Amino acid sequence: MSEVAALDLDDLAPAPPIRRRELLFATAFASAGVVMVFATLVGAYLAARNAGGEAWLEGSRIPLTQANMQMATMVMAAVTMQWAVYSISRDDRLHSYLALGITLLLGLAFVNQTTFLVKQANVVLSEPGGALFYAVVGTHTAMVLGGIVYIALMAFRALAGQFSSRQPDGISAAAVYWYVCVATYAVVWIAVYVMK
Amino acid sequence: MAVTETRPASETGADPGSGRTAPGAVERILGGADHTTLGRMFVLSGLALFCVAIVARLLVGIDAVADNALLGDALAMVSSSARVLGPLSLVGAMTGVLVFLVPLQLGSPAISYPRGVSLAYWTWLLSTIVFAVSVAFDGGVGGADTAAARLGNVSLGAALAALGLAAVCVATTVLTHRPPGMGLAKVPFLAWSALLGSTLWIVTVGSAFAHVVVGQVSRADAPGLAENFVNGILWMTRAPAVYVLVIPVLGVALDVFATATGSRVRQYGIAQGLIGAFAVLSIGVWAQGDDSVNTVVWTAFALLVAVPVLGILGLVGDLVRRGRISYSPALLLSAVSLLFILGAVTSGLVWALTLAGSGTLLGFDVRLLGAAQVTFVAASLLSGTLAAVFHWSTKFWGGRPAAAPSNATALLVVAGGGLLSTAVFVQGLVQRDGEPTANQFFGVLVVAAAALYLLGVLSAAGAVRSASAAAADGGDDEPVGGTLEWVAASPARGDDVPDDLPTVTSPYPLADARDGDAPGEEADR
C-alpha cells in the first residue's frame, strides 16, 4: 500500500489521446476506394458483355443456385455482424464473441462456395469475358478474405478487452467494411450470375 | 560513488530501464514512423524520381530533333511512360508535403496510421523504381516486351495503391486529429485541400487500379496491355480527372500568400467553397471512355473548372492588395503554380472547342492538347511542391535556404515548366490533323525545357542543403504564420508539438494569439 501511495501522478506521462472514430473514418475511406474498384470492374464487365453478344461465356455454365446460396450467406453474415455491433455497444461481450465467430464462419463458408462455383462454372480465361469474370469474382473473393482477416483481428482485440460500449470503433469499422463486402456481392450477384 | 559497468542511459541514448539501445540513423529511416521523416523522404524521393521522368522527356525531345534516329519504335513507349512517371513521382512529392504538414497544421503530434504511411512510402518508392526499370527494358506503358510490360503494369498498380493508402491516412488525419474548436470551417487551406484531394484521389485511384487488375488477370501480351492502358488508365492524365492531382496546390498557394502578405483571407468560407468546387469539377471517373469526351457534361466540366481557379486567383490578388508583399521564391512558385493550373484549364477549353459540333471546328491535335494538360499539371505540381518546401523550410529543414539556389530554382522551374507546357500546347495548335509541322523546332524547345527542369531540381537540392546547413548554424526560427504549424520546433519532429497550443477560435489561431485574440481586418496587418 505504501508503494502505491508514493506514486506521484504528475510524474506519469499523459495517456495518448483516444481518437474516436479514427478507424471508422479510415475504413470508410478505404472502402470508398474498394467500391470504386468494383464499380469499374462491374461496369467494364457489363459493357464488354453487351458488346460480346451471344459469344459471351458461351462455353461455360454458371449455375444460379450456388450464387443464390452465397447471397443468402452474405445477408446472414450482415445480420450477425450487426449483432456484434449491437452487443459490444451494450457491453454484452459473450454475444459479441458469438456473433463475430458466426460471421467469420459464414465468411469462410462464402469463400468455400465461391471456389465450388468457379470450379462448376469452368470459365476459360481465354474465351470472351473470361478475364473479366475472374477479375470480378476473384477480386470480390479477395475482398471478403480481407474482411475475414479484419474481423478476426478485431475479434482478438475485443477478446483482449480493447473494445466496449465506450470504445466500440474497431467492431463498428469492421462492420462497415463487411457491409461493403455484402453490398458489392449483391451487385456481382445481379450483374454476373442473375443477368448472366 | 560506485563504479558502474555500463554508461548511463543518457549517454548511450538508450531508453532508461528498457535495456534497448537507441535506433541508429538507418534504423530510424527504415523502421521509423515519424510523419516528418516520412514526409521529407517522400519529397526528396519524388523529386529524384522526377529527374528520371525528365530525362525521358529529354530523350523524346532529342529524338524529335534527330528525326526519330534515337528512339525509333520505342518513341511512343518512352513518351507515354514519361507521361505517367512524371505525375507519379510528383504526386509522391506532394504527398510528402501533406504527410509532413497536415498533422502540424492541426497541432497533432502524429499522422493517422503512421505505419500505414511508412508502408505506402516504401511501396510507392520501390514500385516507381521498378516501373522506371521496366521502361528501360521496353516495358513501361506501351512497350513491346511482354514480360517488361507486365512488370510495368504491376508496378504501376502497386504505386497507385500505395498513394491511395497514403491518401487514406492523410484524409483520416484531417477528420480525426483536429484540436478542440477547429471545425472543418476553420481548418487551414492546405489541410482542407488535402482532405478533398485525398478523398478524390482514393476514388480515382480505385477506378484506375481496377484496370490494372484486368490487365493482369487477362494475362495480356504487350499490345494488349498497351490497349488496356489507353482504354483504362490514360483518362487519369486528362481532364477532368487530371485536376485531382493539383487540388493541394490551391491550398499551398492560399496559405503561402496569407503568410507572406501578413493578411488573412477575408472570405474564408468562399475560398473553401472554391477549392471544393474545383474538387467537384475534377471528378473524372465517369469520363473514362473516348465516347464520354465531347459530351455536354464533359464540355460543362471543361468550361466551369475555370471559375474556381479564377476565383482563387482573385482571392490571392485581394491578399496582395491588402498586405505587405515582399518577393520570395516560394511566393513566385505559388503564383506560377496557379497560372499553370490556368494553363491546363485553357488547354481543356481549347480541346472542348476543337471537339465542338462534329469535331472538326478547329482541327487542333487533341492528343497533344491532352498531353499539354498533363504537362501543365505536372509543372503546377512541381512548383507547388517546391513552394511548400521553401515556404515551410524552417519546419522541413530547420533553416531558410540560401538566396542564390532558391532563387535559381524558382526561375529555372518557372522557365522550364512554362516552356515545356507552352511548347506542347502550341504544338497541339500548330500540328493540325496529325501533320508533323515544325517537329524538330518543338523538339529543340522540349530539350531546352527539360534541361531547365533538370537544373531546377538540382538547384532545389542545393537549396535544401543550404537550409539544412543554416539549421546547423542556428538559423532563424521565428514563427511567421497564423496557423498552428508555426508553433512546432524547427526542424519539426512529429512528437514535439507543444502542449500549450493556442485556443482555436478562428482559422488563424496563432495570429489571434499574437494579435490579442482580435481576428478581423484590424489584425490583418
Side-chain angles (χ1 to χ4, degrees), chain B residues 90-405:
Chain B
L90 289 176
V91 169
M94 180 52 87
T95 300
V97 170
L98 302 183
V99 165
F100 184 94
L101 281 172
V102 165
L104 297 178
Q105 285 203 321
L106 304 176
S108 171
I111 193 167
S112 285
Y113 307 106
R115 296 287 174 192
V117 179
S118 181
L119 174 66
Y121 169 71
W122 289 109
T123 307
W124 164 79
L125 179 66
L126 293 176
S127 51
T128 310
I129 290 172
V130 169
F131 180 83
V133 169
S134 78
V135 174
F137 288 95
D138 201 9
V141 289
D145 185 274
T146 296
R150 285 178 180 166
L151 190 64
N153 189 53
V154 170
S155 55
L156 178 60
L160 291 175
L163 291 172
L165 175 60
V168 167
C169 298
V170 169
T172 307
T173 304
V174 180
L175 286 183
T176 60
H177 283 222
R178 283 172 286 131
M182 187 185 280
L184 281 177
K186 297 189 182 76
V187 163
F189 285 120
L190 179 63
W192 173 250
S193 62
L195 173 63
L196 299 178
S198 298
T199 307
L200 286 180
W201 180 245
I202 292 163
V203 171
T204 308
V205 155
S207 192
F209 185 78
H211 292 288
V212 172
V213 170
V214 171
Q216 209 58 30
V217 170
S218 63
R219 297 180 189 170
D221 54 5
L225 286 172
E227 188 183 346
N228 184 58
F229 173 77
V230 170
N231 294 333
I233 303 172
L234 194 64
W235 58 272
M236 278 185 73
T237 65
R238 68 175 184 223
V242 74
Y243 298 136
V244 169
L245 307 182
V246 288
I247 294 172
V249 172
L250 302 176
V252 169
L254 283 171
D255 276 349
V256 166
F257 269 90
T259 305
T261 57
S263 297
R264 302 168 189 234
V265 173
R266 273 179 179 164
Q267 302 88 352
Y268 206 85
I270 291 175
Q272 283 188 317
L274 287 171
I275 297 175
F278 185 83
V280 168
L281 292 167
S282 64
I283 297 173
V285 288
W286 58 271
Q288 297 188 16
D290 286 339
D291 52 350
S292 56
V293 178
N294 196 23
T295 58
V296 174
V297 180
W298 186 85
T299 307
F301 267 57
L303 296 174
L304 288 175
V305 77
V307 176
V309 179
L310 291 172
I312 287 169
L313 278 169
L315 289 173
V316 166
D318 184 54
L319 283 172
V320 172
R321 184 181 61 79
R322 288 187 291 117
R324 305 177 303 271
I325 187 81
S326 58
Y327 169 78
S328 74
L331 208 62
L332 173 65
L333 286 165
S334 287
V336 172
S337 67
L338 291 178
L339 294 178
F340 281 142
I341 296 177
L342 204 58
V345 170
T346 307
S347 302
L349 292 174
V350 176
W351 187 355
L353 284 174
T354 304
L355 292 175
S358 59
T360 55
L361 180 65
L362 299 173
F364 297 145
D365 190 328
V366 293
R367 187 183 56 83
L368 283 170
L369 289 176
Q373 272 193 328
V374 76
T375 313
F376 271 119
V377 162
S380 175
L381 257 179
L382 180 62
S383 308
T385 303
L386 290 175
V389 166
F390 287 167
H391 179 68
W392 285 283
S393 68
T394 53
K395 304 302 164 197
F396 268 100
W397 321 112
R400 298 198 176 283

Side-chain angles (χ1 to χ4, degrees), chain B residues 445-525:
Chain B
L445 293 183
V446 169
V447 169
L452 288 171
Y453 253 156
L454 264 182
L455 290 173
V457 176
L458 292 175
S459 177
V464 167
R465 190 182 165 84
S466 69
S468 300
D473 296 340
D476 58 316
D477 186 22
E478 287 298 314
V480 292
T483 40
L484 290 180
E485 74 272 20
W486 297 103
V487 178
S490 299
R493 272 184 41 200
D495 55 356
D496 205 16
V497 174
D499 295 330
D500 52 342
L501 289 173
T503 308
V504 180
T505 55
S506 83
Y508 301 99
L510 200 59
D512 290 345
R514 277 202 307 269
D515 303 336
D517 204 8
E521 183 57 26
E522 289 75 23
D524 282 356
R525 307 194 172 219

Side-chain angles (χ1 to χ4, degrees), chain A residues 52-71:
Chain A
E54 294 298 317
W56 188 256
L57 296 178
E58 63 179 355
S60 309
R61 182 184 160 276
I62 302 176
L64 185 58
T65 310
Q66 192 65 38
N68 291 343
M69 284 305 298
Q70 285 182 278
M71 189 68 244

Side-chain angles (χ1 to χ4, degrees), chain A:
Chain A
M1 282 301 289
S2 60
E3 287 180 12
V4 173
L7 271 176
D8 186 353
L9 292 178
D10 292 337
D11 292 340
L12 295 175
I18 297 173
R19 301 189 186 280
R20 284 203 65 171
R21 303 190 176 183
E22 189 176 28
L23 190 54
L24 207 55
F25 278 118
T27 305
F29 281 121
S31 299
V34 172
V35 166
M36 283 313 300
V37 173
F38 253 88
T40 307
L41 282 175
V42 172
Y45 182 91
L46 292 175
R49 194 197 59 188
N50 282 342
E54 294 298 317
W56 188 256
L57 296 178
E58 63 179 355
S60 309
R61 182 184 160 276
I62 302 176
L64 185 58
T65 310
Q66 192 65 38
N68 291 343
M69 284 305 298
Q70 285 182 278
M71 189 68 244
T73 306
M74 289 305 272
V75 169
M76 286 192 290
V79 172
T80 54
M81 195 66 224
Q82 184 56 34
W83 179 21
V85 174
Y86 178 87
S87 300
I88 199 71
S89 61
R90 282 156 184 77
D91 288 324
D92 185 353
R93 310 192 72 80
L94 186 64
H95 281 126
S96 298
Y97 303 148
L98 191 62
L100 289 170
I102 294 173
T103 308
L104 285 172
L105 195 65
L106 290 170
L108 290 170
F110 174 84
V111 174
N112 183 41
Q113 290 175 89
T114 305
T115 56
F116 180 74
L117 185 147
V118 168
K119 281 182 182 173
Q120 270 205 325
N122 197 26
V123 174
V124 180
L125 186 67
S126 56
E127 71 176 307
L132 278 169
F133 174 83
Y134 282 112
V136 171
V137 175
T139 307
H140 186 266
T141 308
M143 185 181 168
V144 170
L145 283 170
I148 289 170
V149 172
Y150 195 175
I151 292 171
L153 193 62
M154 292 305 125
F156 276 115
R157 289 183 64 183
L159 277 170
Q162 292 188 10
F163 301 126
S164 63
S165 60
R166 294 177 62 194
Q167 174 61 300
D169 285 5
I171 306 293
S172 304
V176 165
Y177 183 77
W178 193 249
Y179 300 151
V180 170
C181 288
V182 176
T184 48
Y185 182 72
V187 176
V188 173
W189 178 60
I190 292 170
V192 177
Y193 300 124
V194 175
M195 294 167 67
K196 289 204 175 54

